Amino acid sequence: MPRPTTPRTATTRWKRIRTRLIRTRTHQCHHCGTALDPKAKRGEPGAIEIDHLIPYIERPDLAHDPNNLVLSCRPCNLAKGGKAYGEPFQVPTTSLPLPTSQQW
Ligand SMILES: [Zn+2]
């Protein structure tokens, strides 16, 4: 189910920043290194999300600061969620390649 668009990300300013980041940054998750697909729609594998390094709740004044924004995959963005800046978070295993075994 698509996540409802919040007013914060529905602004023209945010869309412009998002577009610029996707155009200028490497299409790779900042946290786990997963390749991201700029053509993937929200919720699809590889869809790009914009993550605030310092969470919005801590520094709303940095919400539109490119230095505070990174490209992220959805699993990492979700796992990071409301964690404070610098607080470690578990990179979800779902975003890593599945282990395969030839032993069976
Ligand atoms: Zn990731």
Side-chain angles (χ1 to χ4, degrees), residues 29 31-34 72-73 76 95:
C29 175
H31 305 291
C32 72
T34 292
S72 171
C73 69
C76 283
S95 64

Side-chain angles (χ1 to χ4, degrees), residues 2-76:
R3 185 175 50 157
T5 305
T6 60
R8 186 155 57 86
T9 56
T11 62
T12 306
R13 186 181 181 195
W14 177 256
K15 285 175 186 164
R16 213 175 278 149
I17 288 171
R18 184 188 154 85
T19 302
R20 191 173 61 222
L21 286 172
I22 292 174
R23 201 175 54 220
T24 57
R25 302 273 174 95
T26 304
H27 296 148
Q28 206 175 32
C29 175
H30 176 82
H31 305 291
C32 72
T34 292
L36 300 170
D37 178 5
K39 292 196 188 79
K41 295 187 176 70
R42 182 184 292 173
E44 291 179 357
I48 296 175
E49 305 217 344
I50 307 298
D51 179 35
H52 293 82
L53 285 174
I54 303 175
Y56 177 77
I57 197 144
E58 285 182 45
R59 293 291 304 272
D61 56 312
L62 297 180
H64 299 95
D65 185 336
N67 295 320
N68 188 40
L69 301 171
V70 294
L71 270 51
S72 171
C73 69
R74 175 102 177 120
C76 283

